[in-house]
Amino acid sequence: MIPASYTFRNVTKHKVTSTLTIFGVGLVVFVFTAVLMLAHGLFATLVATGSDDNVVIIRKASQSEVTSIIMREQADIVSTFPEIKLGQDNKPLFTNELYVLISLVKRDDDGSSNVTVRGVTEKSMEMRPDIKILEGRMYQPGTAEIIAGKSISNRFKGCKVGEQVRFGSRDWTVVGVFDAAGSAFDSEIWGDIEQMMDAFRRPVYSSLTMKLNDPASLAAVTSRIEGDLRLQLEAKPEKEYYAAQSTATTQFIMIVGVAICIIFSFGAIVGAMITMYAAVANRTKEIGTLRSLGFSRLAILRTFLFESFVISLAGGIIGLAGASFLRFVEVSTVNFNTFSELAFNFRLNGPTIISAIVFAVVMGFLGGFLPAVRASRLKIVDSLRAT
Amino acid sequence: MLMNLIYRNSFRHKLRTILTVVGLAVAVMAFGLIRTVVDAWHAGVEAAAPDRLITRSSISITFTLPLSYKEQIEKIDGIKAVTYANWFGGTYVDASNFFAQFAVEKGNYFKVFPEFIISPEVMDAFNSNIKAVIVGQKLADRFGWKVGDRVTLIGTIFPGNWDFDVVGIYKGKDQTIDESTWFMRWEYIDETMKEQMPGRAGEVGWYGLQLADPSKAAEVSAAVDARFKNSSAETLTETEKAFQMSFVAMSGAILVLLTVMSWLIIGVILMVLVNTMAMTARERTSEYAFMKSMGFQGYHLWGMITGEAIVISLTGGLLGLALLAAIVNVLKAGLSAWFPVFKIQPLTWILVVALAIIIGLIASAFPVIKAMRMRIVDGLRVVD
């Protein structure tokens, strides 16, 4: 067995070449990690939206709140379901909400995007305990006051506390900013539903949300809704509903990102191969010496594979470390499922770290294998004779 | 003579050169692919006609306008024709089978949007059957639809199951036109709404306005919006280009990330080539010293080393472009759901060639400086 220190000395001896290869691998791992972090961040934001015991009800086949329409009479029927939990004031934890998209102007570049406005009731906040007022206060029901999610407040004109924003032929005053703990609600504007329905001239609701007595009673709610022909609605756990809203965009990021990473990794593999072939060529005499000292072909193969493993692992760690700084970057884009602006962060999780390291090591192995085989096949006499 | 030397040197170490060229080619292909994806996003903007305006609700595109606006817009000065459409948003079998569905005004719509080529017979069939639908060639290919087929969509915005008769297949007037759209009759929605939800009848998603004089776009837009100011449904009128651009801008962050990624790839290419050139130069140190002692000047060495780097990077770049052309052809069909128009823009070709030369220059800079500064005695003393 050739000692590992032989490998480390070799890596540090050819500084320029080793560094370039390590950075090449690092860059590829950086991009690979960034793609996974982006997809995970988007997914996590939407999955983090919603509580386990909340159920969202929208019109059958409408797929999202944007296209859903629920009549007042239908809402009245659902609001009397016995499975609904009672709040502290003994009233059912049930809310009917209006969901509309408005076009607002961004602060930084004057471009505009679709922002979600949610008309809410007094129960909306109580049913989502993760949401806290960060600055200012709650809106007064019955007035043209609104509160903005923290992602919206910073990025759109007129959405800071004390500012005014115009939509639905009315000027609305922002009286508070709320923090929804990194969920999709952070990208919404909330106000009194009655005021909103009036301003947008929409006499219908978009969705109903209820908190269950017991999460197990979901089946009872679903069958009750299906059994009532007047309803034509569908119920989903809140978490599941939001997770489904991430499919199109996540899918896009994953397909494009992973396809590019795979193509991309060829570059790094080739870089590793060039380095390792050169290492073998430069050390022909050395290899001959090692062989004549009694080290086996397998030991030589192992040592060159290990060298390429060390290089790719170093690259992987550098790439991963670089990508971990992306956690502080906030991205906002339109979610293809809902057609509304959604802000999210790059997020690093265990599977992503493992995938990135495995990806780096596999690149190193693929790049190092052929050169290592060549090294192990050299004939002692020929290699000792090499100049 | 120098050219011959460059050529011979480039392929002296065959395996390394081949590996480098392949590495560069694959990376160039990735670079080109990302650029093509980003360009595909802008296809709608590119295809926008200069003489058209789009009027939509000032709240957002998801709000509708009343049908009665058509007559009022027609009376505004500088307007040649007005047509209207709605987004249907139906699902075909499964939600993942997404494609754009427009419910359009019969007859008039295709006069204002003449880039869709439809024969007079198909036009007649469309105008005479309320369930008629005309689909783009690519869309028809994707789902295997033929003229005469009956297709059912499930409405997401307009509830229920909707039956349609495919009466024709259209083609675009050139490559920039989207051939994966579904055009159905606006009246089909309207008649159904009148029966089922009278409150939602007579609604229009957006109006397409054709201008008599494209240079008057700003004045006419302002006049249209002023006409409906303080009404129950205020409007926002902009050029078709600006309208399309607003959709692109919404996905801005993703496009920026893709672009950043494409430039990181150039970084990887650079590192691979710098690595190769550094190794090559190190092996040939004594050779350079020997050439110097024979009277070759610094610029000869520069020409030789840089020339070699450029030969390798250009070979890689051109091979990459060939691969790109092949892969774009393969992906075109698979991506048609997302990108109706997917082709390599001329700028990508130019950029790749220019970047190959620049990268060759940069990658050889370090070995060149080293070779030029080297004293002959030191170089000759090197034993590898």
Side-chain angles (χ1 to χ4, degrees):
Chain A
M1 186 85 174
I2 300 168
S5 58
Y6 170 78
T7 303
F8 291 117
R9 280 204 207 115
N10 271 322
V11 172
T12 42
K13 190 188 151 204
H14 297 287
K15 282 197 189 67
V16 180
T17 310
S18 299
T19 314
L20 284 170
T21 316
I22 289 173
F23 272 98
V25 173
L27 210 48
V28 175
V29 172
F30 175 83
V31 174
F32 179 77
T33 314
V35 168
L36 292 186
M37 285 170 78
L38 192 67
H40 178 66
L42 175 72
F43 182 70
T45 299
L46 286 162
V47 171
T49 311
S51 322
D52 283 324
D53 49 356
N54 279 1
V55 174
V56 175
I57 297 160
I58 52 174
R59 188 176 54 73
K60 212 178 222 169
S62 60
Q63 291 171 12
S64 82
E65 288 173 279
V66 197
T67 50
S68 168
I69 287 173
I70 299 175
M71 304 295 162
R72 280 180 195 264
E73 308 81 63
Q74 294 174 321
D76 288 343
I77 297 170
V78 176
S79 70
T80 60
F81 279 15
E83 288 86 359
I84 303 175
K85 191 177 181 174
L86 296 182
Q88 283 158 345
D89 53 0
N90 254 345
K91 283 189 191 155
L93 287 171
F94 172 88
T95 178
N96 40 254
E97 293 174 350
L98 178 73
Y99 182 105
V100 295
L101 298 181
I102 61 165
S103 180
L104 285 185
V105 181
K106 290 183 188 163
R107 269 184 210 282
D108 50 0
D109 60 358
D110 283 330
S112 60
S113 194
N114 285 341
V115 175
T116 303
V117 171
R118 191 182 287 274
V120 296
T121 65
E122 50 174 352
K123 287 284 176 217
S124 296
M125 206 83 169
E126 191 182 337
M127 291 173 63
R128 294 165 183 122
D130 287 344
I131 304 180
K132 305 262 174 342
I133 296 281
L134 201 64
E135 198 190 330
R137 58 172 173 85
M138 191 64 187
Y139 70 87
Q140 255 322 298
T143 63
E145 288 181 349
I146 49 174
I147 53 175
K150 67 171 195 296
S151 301
I152 294 297
S153 175
N154 292 329
R155 285 184 299 110
F156 288 88
K157 284 187 178 160
C159 293
K160 285 208 167 119
V161 172
E163 290 182 329
Q164 281 201 325
V165 58
R166 188 176 172 80
F167 56 82
S169 313
R170 228 184 258 191
D171 290 313
W172 305 78
T173 309
V174 180
V175 296
V177 170
F178 62 90
D179 179 355
S183 67
F185 295 123
D186 272 330
S187 304
E188 296 187 353
I189 290 176
W190 284 18
D192 183 359
I193 184 165
E194 295 302 329
Q195 298 295 312
M196 297 283 176
M197 285 169 79
D198 197 38
F200 292 116
R201 295 186 177 78
R202 288 234 163 148
V204 289
Y205 305 134
S206 305
S207 66
L208 311 174
T209 305
M210 59 168 75
K211 200 174 266 305
L212 299 177
N213 264 325
D214 171 10
S217 53
L218 173 70
V221 171
T222 314
S223 64
R224 195 187 296 277
I225 286 176
E226 272 170 15
D228 193 331
L229 287 176
R230 296 167 294 174
L231 292 179
Q232 296 295 320
L233 303 174
E234 61 186 335
K236 272 184 199 165
E238 198 174 22
K239 281 210 154 135
E240 203 177 285
Y241 167 80
Y242 281 101
Q245 304 301 324
S246 72
T247 49
T249 315
T250 320
Q251 207 186 8
F252 175 80
I253 294 174
M254 286 306 279
I255 290 177
V256 174
V258 171
I260 287 167
C261 281
I262 289 171
I263 298 174
F264 213 154
S265 61
F266 266 83
I269 292 172
V270 166
M273 253 190 209
I274 293 169
T275 308
M276 291 313 294
Y277 269 124
V280 174
N282 286 336
R283 272 180 252 156
T284 311
K285 217 171 196 166
E286 232 170 282
I287 295 166
T289 313
L290 286 167
R291 286 292 311 283
S292 56
L293 283 173
F295 286 106
S296 65
R297 286 178 193 276
L298 193 67
I300 305 283
L301 180 84
R302 209 186 283 144
T303 219
F304 275 95
L305 265 186
F306 183 62
E307 185 169 333
S308 127
F309 169 77
V310 167
I311 289 176
S312 61
L313 189 66
I317 291 170
I318 289 177
L320 196 56
S324 70
F325 285 104
L326 289 174
R327 275 181 304 164
F328 305 109
V329 179
E330 191 184 66
V331 183
S332 71
T333 187
V334 152
N335 183 3
F336 303 148
N337 286 79
T338 55
F339 204 48
S340 65
E341 182 85 1
L342 181 71
F344 55 97
N345 283 76
F346 285 89
R347 277 197 213 191
L348 194 59
N349 63 346
T352 304
I353 295 176
I354 294 166
S355 314
I357 294 294
V358 168
F359 184 62
V361 170
V362 167
M363 279 195 290
F365 181 78
L366 292 177
F369 187 71
L370 291 179
V373 167
R374 170 183 278 194
S376 71
R377 281 200 179 156
L378 286 173
K379 288 206 179 84
I380 303 182
V381 198
D382 294 346
S383 50
L384 282 174
R385 206 181 281 147
T387 48
Chain B
M1 211 254 329
L2 197 59
M3 283 311 287
N4 197 13
L5 205 55
I6 290 171
Y7 179 75
R8 291 273 163 119
N9 266 338
S10 302
F11 294 95
R12 212 162 95 181
H13 210 308
K14 275 205 189 66
L15 181 66
R16 183 189 299 157
T17 307
I18 290 171
L19 282 175
T20 312
V21 165
V22 169
L24 296 194
V26 171
V28 162
M29 181 179 78
F31 174 78
L33 198 58
I34 298 180
R35 284 194 56 88
T36 308
V37 167
V38 172
D39 288 336
W41 221 287
H42 290 86
V45 180
E46 295 302 318
D51 67 338
R52 286 200 296 253
L53 300 178
I54 304 288
T55 298
R56 59 156 173 101
S57 162
S58 69
I59 302 172
S60 80
I61 186 75
T62 58
F63 281 77
T64 53
L65 296 170
L67 180 63
S68 60
Y69 281 17
K70 179 175 155 78
E71 275 179 27
Q72 303 184 48
I73 297 174
E74 275 167 348
K75 283 179 197 146
I76 291 168
D77 273 351
I79 302 257
K80 204 161 111 191
V82 178
T83 188
Y84 51 87
N86 249 357
W87 177 259
F88 181 65
T91 303
Y92 177 61
V93 188
D94 186 81
S96 61
N97 292 333
F98 175 83
F99 53 92
Q101 298 141 21
F102 296 132
V104 303
E105 182 191 21
K106 68 170 181 182
N108 217 5
Y109 186 85
F110 295 104
K111 285 179 192 141
V112 178
F113 292 83
E115 58 265 43
F116 308 107
I117 296 170
I118 294 164
S119 69
E121 303 81 58
V122 171
M123 208 67 229
D124 287 343
F126 185 70
N127 291 342
S128 58
N129 176 0
I130 195 161
K131 293 185 174 182
V133 55
I134 300 177
V135 296
Q137 182 70 56
K138 284 183 188 157
L139 187 64
D141 292 346
R142 184 170 156 206
F143 295 113
W145 291 331
K146 301 176 303 295
V147 173
D149 280 1
R150 170 149 284 209
V151 178
T152 306
L153 302 187
I154 302 160
T156 60
I157 302 172
F158 305 98
N161 288 351
W162 299 68
D163 291 329
F164 297 93
D165 298 320
V166 179
V167 297
I169 289 165
Y170 78 83
K171 280 185 179 272
K173 79 170 186 328
D174 59 49
Q175 279 214 318
T176 64
I177 305 304
D178 181 354
E179 284 179 358
S180 55
T181 304
W182 158 288
F183 291 107
M184 55 184 277
R185 291 266 302 266
W186 181 86
E187 290 96 332
Y188 189 15
I189 297 182
D190 201 50
E191 294 295 328
T192 313
M193 286 300 112
K194 268 182 201 156
E195 281 170 31
Q196 295 174 0
M197 302 178 166
R200 292 180 68 188
E203 288 185 343
V204 165
W206 65 90
Y207 286 97
L209 283 52
Q210 193 168 32
L211 295 169
D213 175 5
S215 67
K216 295 263 163 60
E219 291 95 317
V220 177
S221 303
V224 173
D225 291 343
R227 174 73 191 72
F228 303 108
K229 185 103 188 126
N230 296 323
S231 73
S232 62
E234 292 184 359
T235 60
L236 182 90
T237 305
E238 55 198 346
T239 59
E240 191 184 4
K241 206 174 202 98
F243 177 74
Q244 295 284 3
M245 197 61 212
S246 68
F247 288 96
V248 176
M250 286 181 199
S251 326
I254 285 189
L255 298 187
V256 168
L257 289 175
L258 280 175
T259 311
V260 168
M261 218 195 251
S262 76
W263 289 103
L264 285 181
I265 290 179
I266 299 297
V268 172
I269 296 179
L270 189 61
M271 270 185 214
V272 169
L273 194 61
V274 168
N275 197 358
T276 300
M277 290 316 293
M279 257 182 248
T280 306
R282 198 174 55 223
E283 285 170 12
R284 295 186 197 153
T285 314
S286 54
E287 202 176 305
Y288 296 149
F290 187 66
M291 287 180 75
K292 272 183 154 180
S293 67
M294 278 179 27
F296 281 96
Q297 297 298 310
Y299 62 85
H300 284 123
L301 288 179
W302 179 79
M304 199 173 74
I305 301 172
T306 305
E308 185 177 341
I310 292 177
V311 164
I312 295 176
S313 63
L314 264 183
T315 313
L318 294 177
L319 187 64
L321 283 176
L323 283 175
L324 175 65
I327 201 163
V328 162
N329 247 332
V330 172
L331 290 179
K332 216 155 61 181
L335 289 176
S336 68
W338 283 314
F339 304 121
V341 179
F342 194 66
K343 66 184 181 93
I344 308 166
Q345 298 293 329
L347 185 63
T348 303
W349 302 97
I350 299 168
L351 214 55
V352 165
V353 173
L355 281 171
I357 294 172
I358 293 171
I359 283 173
L361 284 173
I362 298 174
S364 57
F366 181 63
V368 166
I369 292 169
K370 221 172 139 190
M372 280 163 74
R373 283 207 188 134
M374 172 188 64
R375 292 196 315 168
I376 296 174
V377 262
D378 293 339
L380 284 174
R381 206 182 283 146
V382 171
V383 241
D384 199 35

